[in-house]
Amino acid sequence: MRTLAFIILSCLFPCLLQAQELSGREHYAAAETAYRDGRFKEAVGLLREGEDAYDEALRPNVCRLYALCHLAMDDTEQAEHYVRLLLRYMPYYTLSLDDPVRFADLVEKNRVSRNTLVTASQQLETLEEAPVPVTLITEDMIKSAGAETLKDALTAYVPGITAVEGNSELNIAMHGVYTSEQQKILILLNGHRMNSRATNVQAPDYSISLDKVKQIEVLRGPASSLYGNAALTAVVNIITKEGKDVDGIKLSLATGSFGTYRGDLLAGKSGSHSDFIGWASVYASEGEAVSYPAHATGVWRRIPIDGNIYLNGFNRKPAYDVGCILQWNGHWKLYLNHQHAKMQSVYSYVAVRAPYTYEKYRRINGEKPGHGRTSTRGELQYYHQWKDLSLDANLYADIDRQMNYEVDGDTLPDGYTVILPEDEVFSFIEAKRGFFQLVQWDDYTYGASVKMSYTYGKEGRPHGTLLAGFQWENYTFASSDALLGDNFDRILLTMSEHNAQIRQGSEQSCSAFLQGKHYFTPCLIVNGGLRYDYRRRFNGKTVHSLSPRLAVIYKANRWSVKACYARSFVDAPYFYRANTVTTYRGSENLSPEYMNALQLVFTLSVPDIHLAYDCNLYYNQLSNLIYFDKSTAGTGKDTPVYTNAGSLGLFGVENSLSFTAPGWKAHMNLTYQRVTQSENYIVTGNSVNGIPSVTCNLLLSKSILQNKRHTLWLDAHLSCHSRQHLPVSGYVDGKPHQDDHYAIKGSCILNMGIHYEWNRRMETSLTCKNVLDTWYTRASMYDIDVPQQGRSLLWKIGYKF
């Protein structure tokens, strides 16, 4: 009897479930009919009545209908809530012609806030599915931080990235790894490489306008398995707006402290088969001149010479960023960009580290002392999507001119000698005053890449994506020249092609990569990739690198956990390998630098209260690090200054938290890192020199006024850094001095701003950096700490036509 009852119940149970499913679908169908008839409140009521009966397959449609009903009743806040829920169920929701424009706008807006990105796997995916920890910086976040440069945005929001100094360029470090210039992080614009092929450098400065930026995707870890050379510690991909995001012309002007001026123009338009966006940005600043009298040398341990040091000067030739992107027929995309920036050197040449009088030195090619770079980039892309297959092909070309213009001080110490190379013979002269030197070069790159992606399987069953690609590239170091001079204006020696100190040559590289992303279940994902890079160097020697990656991801409803391993590399810069200048000479046989990384990442998302948290435990092991040997620098001998002699092991914990509530936005990140092993690297105890063991950023935004015509936000950013070891060397009372116990004090810096927008057309903002005018310094690779700018104001006003 019991067996018979069990059989009957077993047969009835699926029928009962089917009845419940039909009941849910009936409620949805009735609500959809009410919506189409204009009975919006009734439709919402019907949807609520069936709330307990909807299955997982129906819930995305329910969220969409909820959002449409609330939009029809002008309840944008509730509509946005249901759009977020829709994107939670369907991160890749595709808009159709049936979707109203207001609904489409909300989807596009919240698709970004839902942390949808393309950089980590070169395909659309969410933060939870990315095979590495990722930070996403949106346009609104850039405004809230008052960021004027890429460096401002990255150091504010990305755990693991800290501000350091280059004497003549803006600089940052990632996980304690840095050099005199930013060489270890690969920076992309819509996937197009911006780092120099000669030096691997891309400064996060004013040559990159932030007005055109839609979002910035930061991969916090090695990424050579997809991006190859230079993706050693991180990848920063800047995603620009499209014409439809601008839909008009926007002009903005800014002025601020220390003779700062800025102008930005943004134009965009979208048609049925085309989209265009163009931008132009100009920035100039005299920078803050800090008097540096001889009796103050005990503070910074420098040669006792009167003069000034200069902080954040970009002048005499302004920084600019001009470019455009044209898309047409849904398949073609053309990108053109021209950029320039030159930062005024803080001190004179680092061998002397003295103040100097900037205006006394002659202009060379229109430039005063500092490091300048002018870049022109172009790319033509073809994209085609079939049912399960896509093709992405690119042709690209880059042209660079770089100039390093150094001065050694107005008055030089007794016995300061300069090495003059001529016909492979070195002569030594004693320099007295106004000595300067310059190295500049031209290079160009052209190449092609092709990628194919195949999607297999279906949702609800094992499925995934395969991505394969090939890239070929030719790099040519076309020409270089150099000069030495003294007395601020007199040329002592010029060197051009026939006796150039950087050898000319060409290098060819090719690479192939394969990546697979497989969903064993909706919750369990495996993402693996492998890339092979081959380079034939200018001297005929070849370099091979293999970069694997593997990530196992478990994604639950509101949380995820992922375990990742990756190996990355950055090849030794051409500038070191082909250089015969005594202060820069490296070996032609310098090898690539490598990093192996293990990461364990936990993420939590609570969309109901708009809270997101992620924690990353990482261990990095770096090898073959290029080591600067001070004992051979500037001696005139053939011994290389740079060798592959360094290694570093480092453990760290990164935390980031974001929270939004009506009228409030908050972002916080906290990082701790500790050195476990090092050799021939800048380390004291368990800390990397100049890198704080603990960093913290807190950003708060409060809405003061918000309605259909007016919005007013108040922003605050508190940045805190712990004490930093920095053994320094220099001169005290004219004598060489080494202080191995010197340390930079911890600091807390407060920035504030206010931002007003009227009718979505006019906006104005006032930003105050270092509100308390705190005196603090940051480290550099040159055994010196660099003072930072004091309190500054920047007022900006813009109008959209």
Side-chain angles (χ1 to χ4, degrees), residues 422-454:
E422 188 169 3
D423 296 329
E424 300 183 356
V425 176
F426 292 95
S427 59
F428 296 81
I429 66 168
E430 184 173 350
K432 292 295 185 182
R433 62 193 298 268
F435 184 80
F436 58 92
Q437 52 186 308
L438 176 141
V439 177
Q440 67 179 12
W441 64 90
D442 295 279
D443 59 26
Y444 61 86
T445 305
Y446 56 86
S449 68
V450 60
K451 295 179 292 186
M452 294 198 73
S453 175
Y454 173 70

Side-chain angles (χ1 to χ4, degrees), residues 422-733:
E422 188 169 3
D423 296 329
E424 300 183 356
V425 176
F426 292 95
S427 59
F428 296 81
I429 66 168
E430 184 173 350
K432 292 295 185 182
R433 62 193 298 268
F435 184 80
F436 58 92
Q437 52 186 308
L438 176 141
V439 177
Q440 67 179 12
W441 64 90
D442 295 279
D443 59 26
Y444 61 86
T445 305
Y446 56 86
S449 68
V450 60
K451 295 179 292 186
M452 294 198 73
S453 175
Y454 173 70
T455 302
Y456 59 89
K458 295 182 179 180
E459 296 281 349
R461 299 179 181 179
H463 64 285
T465 304
L466 290 174
L467 177 69
F470 178 83
Q471 182 178 6
W472 174 86
E473 183 174 287
N474 180 85
Y475 169 73
T476 299
F477 191 92
S479 64
S480 71
D481 54 79
L483 61 84
L484 301 173
D486 71 351
N487 203 30
F488 305 102
D489 191 65
R490 183 177 63 176
I491 304 297
L492 294 174
L493 176 69
T494 60
M495 291 161 279
S496 55
E497 281 80 358
H498 71 280
N499 61 350
Q501 293 191 324
I502 307 176
R503 291 187 286 274
Q504 299 177 35
S506 294
E507 300 191 337
Q508 293 76 39
S509 60
C510 61
S511 59
F513 62 88
L514 178 67
Q515 177 186 268
K517 180 178 181 181
H518 184 75
Y519 294 76
F520 287 93
T521 71
C523 298
L524 182 61
I525 307 169
V526 173
N527 191 320
L530 182 67
R531 177 171 174 134
Y532 169 73
D533 284 88
Y534 164 88
R535 170 173 290 185
R536 182 178 177 84
R537 290 181 169 177
F538 73 95
N539 59 1
K541 296 184 178 181
T542 59
V543 174
H544 309 262
S545 295
L546 200 62
S547 306
R549 179 184 73 188
L550 180 64
V552 179
I553 305 161
Y554 184 82
K555 183 181 70 169
N557 190 27
R558 297 191 174 200
W559 59 272
S560 71
V561 62
K562 64 188 81 171
C564 322
Y565 164 76
R567 175 178 171 87
S568 60
F569 79 99
V570 56
D571 196 14
Y574 187 100
F575 183 78
Y576 292 164
R577 291 185 281 109
N579 208 317
T580 63
V581 179
T582 56
T583 51
Y584 294 113
R585 183 189 297 113
S587 167
E588 290 185 12
N589 299 318
L590 280 175
S591 300
E593 300 171 291
Y594 294 97
M595 184 170 89
N596 289 280
L598 292 171
Q599 296 175 305
L600 182 63
V601 186
F602 172 77
T603 67
L604 174 67
S605 177
V606 188
D608 298 340
I609 58 173
H610 312 304
L611 182 143
Y613 168 76
D614 82 72
C615 176
N616 174 33
L617 305 177
Y618 65 89
Y619 177 77
N620 297 337
Q621 181 63 53
L622 294 105
S623 59
N624 264 24
L625 291 176
I626 294 177
Y627 169 68
F628 177 70
D629 189 348
K630 299 177 186 178
S631 65
T632 62
T635 61
K637 301 177 181 179
D638 292 333
T639 306
V641 175
Y642 293 96
T643 58
N644 290 106
S647 66
L648 175 69
L650 188 138
F651 163 81
V653 184
E654 300 171 342
N655 298 273
S656 61
L657 177 72
S658 64
F659 171 75
T660 58
W664 285 95
K665 299 176 187 175
H667 297 272
M668 189 273 286
N669 59 75
L670 175 67
T671 303
Y672 168 78
Q673 55 190 12
R674 180 182 176 87
V675 173
T676 60
Q677 172 272 326
S678 70
E679 182 180 0
N680 290 327
Y681 195 69
I682 47 172
V683 168
T684 300
N686 297 112
S687 300
V688 177
N689 292 347
I691 302 296
S693 296
V694 179
T695 59
C696 180
N697 286 277
L698 176 63
L699 297 101
L700 294 173
S701 296
K702 169 62 178 170
S703 175
I704 308 299
L705 175 65
Q706 191 165 16
N707 55 45
K708 290 183 178 180
R709 295 175 64 86
H710 307 277
T711 59
L712 181 64
W713 285 85
L714 180 65
D715 306 306
H717 173 203
L718 183 65
S719 177
C720 301
H721 296 75
S722 64
R723 186 170 178 265
Q724 302 141 61
H725 295 286
L726 185 68
V728 294
S729 60
Y731 294 81
V732 173
D733 298 327

Side-chain angles (χ1 to χ4, degrees), residues 6 89 128 155 227 233 366 393 423 460 724 747 757 771:
F6 179 78
Y89 290 112
E128 293 83 1
T155 54
Y227 295 100
T233 60
D423 296 329
Q724 302 141 61
S747 61
E757 186 174 335
V771 173

